[in-house]
Amino acid sequence: MANSNTGPLSAGSHASFPQSGAWSMVDIAKLPVQASIGILSRYAAGRVNPYTVLVCEALCNRFQLTARGRANIEMAVASLTTVGAMGAALEFGFGIEDLIRDMAKSEQGTVVLVLCASLREVYSLDISTEVLLEMARLSGVGGEWMPSSREWKAMLDACSGVLAATPFGLRAEVLMQLGNDGQRLGAFQRLEATPQDLRGCSSPKSIAEALFAMAAVSRKEMQAVTLVGGPDTGWLAAVAEWVLDLKISISNAQGEVTYTNINGPEIAQVHITSSQRATSQQDVMVQGRTYVLKEISEILGGEATSSIATTVSGRLEWKTALRSAFLSDFKKLMESLPSTFGVMLGSAARMFKAVAQSDPSFPLPYRTACTTYCDQSFGSGFVTNAISWFPELAKLRDNMEEAVARPLREAKLEYEASIARLRQFCACKACACSFNGFEPGADVEMTPASASVSDRTDEEGSLSHADDGERDWDPDRYCAVILAETIIVLTRALANVSLDDVNILPMRSGFEQAYGRQLTMRLSAMSGRQALNDLGQFAFCMDFDANFSFGLREKDYGTGVRLDLILELFTGERPHLSNNGVSAACSRGLCAYFSILRDVSFTKSGAGAVGIIPGRIQYEKKSYATLEDRYVIQDEEFDTTIQDLVRDGGDFSTLELSVKESSTALECLIQLPRHAGSAETVAAGPANLADLVAARRGLVHCEQSSGRGRRKPCRKMQGLTSQERRSLETEGGRIVKDWMRAATGAWFFRCQNPLVARVALAHCAAQYIYRASIFIVDSE
């Protein structure tokens, strides 16, 4: 082996790799392998088998990059960065010694990297794996020489996210959507309700055939190639243009050119004929230099396939994301009912403000369910946040701001009236079904607010009630009510989210998944009847899970659900996180983490803040998919710890993150000394801490103050009724200075100086015992 720790992994001379035709794996197996220990350790740290990479390099030796395509990839890799956690060798992103940087040092490694990354930008992990398997089969790899599907998946995971902040995903979606403006992805479909106009997925073998055809063109072995298939041929066009720098031309089934990058007399090197669905030929047809892509569902012969596995999706620009994701249904809503839609959003923002301010009109259990109190999640901040992420809503600003300024009681009535108007306008199967949370006669009993003339539904926009005899939702339409609720939930989820790379865009399938979550909640309305009776239609936008339960039970991690929502939007896939308190998670090459891992902050804007970065969790140069809280047992010296913290005063000079790999996960705790000069520490799980601080503030609201910024101790906890006080065992509670423990065991903390951080951290040492009796008090 080489002595140097730098340089790419290589097998013999790349010139000895077969350029075309079938392989003789016996000959390939005789090639010598050169790699340093440092290189092998980086492959091991990335969970990738070097042999799988070498096989894939041999496959990709057929491709020839141009200067422009190579520059695109080099720029993508160079822009990848990391952010570090506090006091630990823990990073998020792609580190300087990540294996992808070693892969990018050779021509074949670069092609492997971009091929795997581009597949994962659009296709599911299963389909991407099948494509690589088919490429290997077409090249003669088989039997004992074929890497297992698990090894292919590990390599795909390692390369995922490299192109997440590049224009590739957006380019692929634009090209796939050409001439298919009304097509749905079916990301949330059920087997009995598949959209009629559904974006199909070509068979992996067809995709592999087409890739090798384009490779032959890139090496000048063929002058041009014609590809005939469904909408996902747009991905092939994006690869041809962005990676291989080929001249392309895209036509629809009628022969009309919908896109070309050709200027002047040049001819197309890759000509694509794209139809709404892939061909129904029995086999992949190769007619001269024309490749016909077959749809995967036809190969399976009608067998059931996962909607996620066959979903084909690219990324969307924020400025047109809602229109691109929800198609004509969003456009009709904005054109026909702009005032009602704006009033609904603004009224929701006003009610979220009441929850954040612990308004007693909301029962305590629902105030407990609130998991975010940052300014962007309620009131006028909600309006600004919504327009910031979704500029298409800017035309609704006046209606939203007017609704936010109204009294709470009026906002509640306006919200219910807006739901009634949207339901009447939409009249889809979901709206017509009485089991989806629309109580019989509810619309008639509500006192509707005055509607503007522009909100009168015309005959074209108003649809008759659908027959709900077969199913309770329509897969070919986005319900106006559920669509509006989805936008509200996404706006709340995106409050206090920061992108470490501003070029990261959401997945189109992520919007469909978010809509599917909201639809599932509507279909589960019968399990939330009590919440609907207490809150009305607003219950569907609260921080609940599909069973209306988060925040209402002990040990629920409501902020973890928000982490799910955010990852789902940016990756189009549900991460399926564990229930062990996840503070960072990776999916499809993107990492979402609580900012508390970088800086412990208890401000409204800091608590529960989430960061997004391309890459994965890296500790000691090894890669991980999740970061979980380590289990903390009850602190036997809990009361003594609190007394020491308060007596010593000041803030700790050291605050460290303790990270440890267990047999099941990467686990961590925030650690700090018990008191000044002590070698003993107090430990807290970051996810639990973020959840506690985000979910336990606002339940009690203190408004007493004196002149010159000084405060008086509260003689009464504002915001709690006497019955609620008894149920919480806080009768007689007071806030003295910055903390107080009531005789019955309830703790109240006011976020005004660094001492609070120390005390709250200490409380997390008993997270499973004292959790219900900890409250954060904000003063305005």
Side-chain angles (χ1 to χ4, degrees):
M1 289 189 179
N3 294 325
S4 174
N5 284 332
T6 62
L9 178 72
S10 62
S13 169
H14 286 301
S16 61
F17 277 171
Q19 304 291 314
S20 61
W23 283 15
S24 171
M25 283 303 300
V26 176
D27 293 335
I28 294 295
K30 295 178 181 178
L31 294 176
V33 175
Q34 297 177 348
S36 67
I37 293 296
I39 295 297
L40 292 178
S41 69
R42 284 194 274 278
Y43 277 84
R47 323 293 184 186
V48 176
N49 188 334
Y51 171 73
T52 306
V53 177
L54 289 174
V55 172
C56 200
E57 283 191 5
L59 298 177
C60 294
N61 203 45
R62 299 186 180 192
F63 293 86
Q64 179 67 54
L65 295 177
T66 64
R68 182 176 179 182
R70 191 179 299 106
N72 286 338
I73 303 166
E74 290 175 352
M75 187 178 300
V77 174
S79 67
L80 299 173
T81 59
T82 60
V83 296
M86 58 181 176
L90 182 70
E91 294 180 327
F92 309 109
F94 289 102
I96 58 173
E97 294 189 6
D98 194 284
L99 68 91
I100 64 151
R101 303 189 190 278
D102 288 309
M103 294 174 67
K105 291 178 180 178
S106 70
E107 183 83 357
Q108 282 69 31
T110 299
V111 178
V112 172
L113 177 62
V114 72
L115 175 64
C116 293
S118 61
L119 278 168
R120 289 296 285 127
E121 271 295 288
V122 169
Y123 292 102
S124 68
L125 183 60
D126 290 339
I127 296 297
S128 300
T129 302
E130 289 291 337
V131 171
L132 294 181
L133 282 167
E134 291 295 344
M135 290 178 69
R137 292 188 185 110
L138 290 171
S139 299
V141 182
E144 62 180 308
W145 306 109
M146 177 70 80
S148 69
S149 60
R150 180 178 179 180
E151 301 301 335
W152 291 115
K153 288 180 179 179
M155 187 175 66
L156 285 162
D157 279 336
C159 300
S160 296
V162 171
L163 302 182
T166 69
F168 179 83
L170 175 62
R171 194 70 187 146
E173 179 60 34
V174 169
L175 295 177
M176 288 189 292
Q177 210 166 2
L178 286 175
N180 304 295
D181 293 339
Q183 209 165 54
R184 284 158 172 73
L185 305 183
F188 62 91
Q189 74 209 53
R190 296 187 298 187
L191 294 179
E192 68 274 14
T194 302
Q196 294 181 2
D197 192 3
L198 177 69
R199 177 183 290 177
C201 176
S202 298
S203 72
K205 185 177 180 181
S206 298
I207 298 171
E209 288 266 14
L211 285 171
F212 278 149
M214 293 196 306
V217 175
S218 72
R219 299 191 67 86
K220 311 300 183 184
E221 295 172 2
M222 294 173 60
Q223 184 178 13
V225 64
T226 299
L227 308 177
V228 180
D232 66 333
T233 51
W235 174 80
L236 290 167
V239 172
E241 181 180 40
W242 198 84
V243 178
L244 301 177
D245 192 26
L246 299 176
K247 299 300 180 181
I248 67 172
S249 176
I250 303 177
S251 303
N252 57 24
Q254 290 72 42
E256 301 169 339
V257 177
T258 56
Y259 173 78
T260 183
N261 62 358
I262 301 173
N263 294 317
E266 297 176 298
I267 64 171
Q269 295 170 289
V270 177
H271 182 269
I272 294 175
T273 301
S274 177
S275 58
Q276 289 190 333
R277 299 184 67 85
T279 178
S280 58
Q281 298 285 342
Q282 292 297 314
D283 296 300
V284 176
M285 297 288 295
V286 182
Q287 302 171 343
R289 294 177 178 177
T290 299
Y291 291 74
V292 182
L293 281 72
K294 184 178 179 183
E295 192 177 41
I296 190 171
S297 61
E298 294 161 6
I299 293 178
L300 296 175
E303 294 181 11
T305 58
S306 168
S307 61
I308 300 299
T310 56
T311 298
V312 182
S313 170
R315 299 187 181 275
L316 300 176
E317 287 186 289
W318 289 109
K319 63 182 181 181
T320 57
L322 298 177
R323 170 65 179 85
S324 299
F326 300 120
L327 310 175
S328 60
D329 294 316
F330 175 77
K331 182 180 179 181
K332 289 179 181 178
L333 179 59
M334 291 291 289
E335 292 177 350
S336 301
L337 297 174
S339 178
T340 297
F341 187 23
V343 168
M344 179 183 175
L345 297 178
S347 299
R350 177 63 183 90
M351 286 187 280
F352 283 127
K353 180 178 180 180
V355 173
Q357 294 181 342
S358 192
D359 191 284
S361 64
F362 288 92
L364 182 62
Y366 304 112
R367 282 181 268 153
T368 307
C370 182
T371 60
T372 176
Y373 288 85
C374 65
D375 292 336
Q376 301 99 310
S377 65
F378 62 84
S380 57
F382 178 96
V383 175
T384 303
N385 186 54
I387 296 174
S388 174
W389 289 103
F390 308 118
E392 296 160 283
L393 301 177
K395 62 181 295 186
L396 309 180
R397 180 189 291 273
D398 292 342
N399 298 113
M400 288 192 283
E401 290 181 344
E402 182 181 349
V404 166
R406 288 172 179 157
L408 177 60
R409 183 177 181 278
E410 187 176 341
K412 290 181 178 180
L413 293 175
E414 288 281 11
Y415 187 86
E416 295 285 345
S418 298
I419 291 283
R421 290 197 197 94
L422 290 182
R423 186 184 178 194
Q424 182 181 10
F425 160 77
C426 181
C428 67
K429 292 181 179 180
C431 290
C433 180
S434 60
F435 296 103
N436 288 345
F438 301 109
E439 295 296 331
D443 296 341
V444 178
E445 294 176 5
M446 289 306 307
T447 304
S450 58
S452 64
V453 176
S454 62
D455 281 351
R456 294 174 183 172
T457 308
D458 56 25
E459 293 183 0
E460 181 181 356
S462 180
L463 303 175
S464 60
H465 282 259
D467 179 17
D468 53 58
E470 294 184 359
R471 58 176 78 104
D472 46 12
W473 66 285
D474 189 345
D476 293 305
R477 292 184 56 197
Y478 292 108
C479 171
V481 174
I482 299 176
L483 194 159
E485 291 173 346
T486 300
I487 294 173
I488 292 173
V489 171
L490 286 177
T491 300
R492 285 269 291 177
L494 289 169
N496 211 11
V497 169
S498 61
L499 303 179
D500 290 301
D501 190 322
V502 296
N503 294 313
I504 301 174
L505 298 175
M507 294 288 289
R508 181 183 169 187
S509 54
F511 284 95
E512 280 206 4
Q513 290 279 20
Y515 178 88
R517 275 181 180 263
Q518 204 61 30
L519 173 64
T520 300
M521 197 167 187
R522 276 283 175 182
L523 299 179
S524 305
M526 297 300 291
S527 64
R529 298 178 73 174
Q530 185 60 52
L532 289 172
N533 289 334
D534 293 338
L535 302 176
Q537 298 296 305
F538 182 61
F540 290 104
C541 295
M542 283 290 289
D543 300 332
F544 296 142
D545 66 356
N547 296 317
F548 298 83
S549 59
F550 274 105
L552 305 182
R553 303 176 309 210
E554 285 301 302
K555 302 181 185 179
D556 276 338
Y557 286 85
T559 50
V561 179
R562 182 163 168 256
L563 207 64
D564 275 358
L565 282 169
I566 295 168
L567 266 179
E568 187 177 84
L569 177 65
F570 285 95
T571 66
E573 298 177 350
R574 295 191 176 179
H576 301 293
L577 303 181
S578 70
N579 295 321
N580 298 325
V582 177
S583 54
C586 302
S587 177
R588 207 169 192 166
L590 287 177
C591 180
Y593 61 91
F594 283 123
S595 297
I596 201 170
L597 291 165
R598 301 181 61 188
D599 179 28
V600 176
S601 173
F602 288 82
T603 63
K604 289 192 294 184
S605 60
V610 175
I612 303 286
I613 189 172
R616 43 194 167 261
I617 303 165
Q618 296 193 328
Y619 177 63
E620 295 180 340
K621 301 179 182 179
K622 296 189 289 291
S623 298
Y624 300 86
T626 59
L627 181 65
E628 300 179 359
D629 286 0
R630 197 183 313 163
Y631 182 79
V632 182
I633 62 174
Q634 182 181 359
D635 191 343
E636 296 180 356
E637 300 180 0
F638 181 75
D639 292 336
T640 303
T641 298
I642 296 296
Q643 294 173 9
D644 290 342
L645 289 171
V646 174
R647 183 187 66 245
D648 293 341
D651 195 14
F652 289 123
S653 58
T654 59
L655 191 65
E656 296 185 353
L657 200 64
S658 171
V659 183
K660 176 183 177 182
E661 183 177 10
S662 70
S663 59
T664 57
L666 186 66
E667 299 176 339
C668 69
L669 289 172
I670 294 177
Q671 289 186 323
L672 71 165
R674 287 185 180 275
H675 52 81
S678 173
E680 299 181 353
T681 60
V682 174
N688 180 75
L689 180 60
D691 187 70
L692 182 146
V693 176
R696 291 292 173 177
R697 79 181 332 121
L699 299 178
V700 182
H701 196 66
C702 174
E703 296 180 346
Q704 293 196 28
S705 62
S706 58
R708 298 181 181 178
R710 293 178 296 174
R711 294 178 47 81
K712 293 181 180 178
C714 294
R715 296 186 177 277
K716 183 178 180 181
M717 292 299 178
Q718 303 295 327
L720 291 181
T721 65
S722 59
Q723 181 179 359
E724 290 170 344
R725 239 188 233 105
R726 284 193 295 272
S727 65
L728 288 173
E729 298 182 337
T730 62
E731 189 66 49
R734 288 176 172 79
I735 299 178
V736 180
K737 295 183 179 179
D738 288 294
W739 73 282
M740 178 191 167
R741 183 180 183 184
T744 53
W747 292 80
F748 299 88
F749 303 128
R750 176 161 51 83
C751 291
Q752 195 162 3
N753 68 26
L755 176 62
V756 177
R758 301 165 55 206
V759 179
L761 279 168
H763 274 286
C764 288
Q767 56 185 311
Y768 299 105
I769 305 299
Y770 293 93
R771 180 186 176 89
S773 57
I774 300 173
F775 303 94
I776 308 297
V777 182
D778 287 311
S779 57
E780 302 299 335

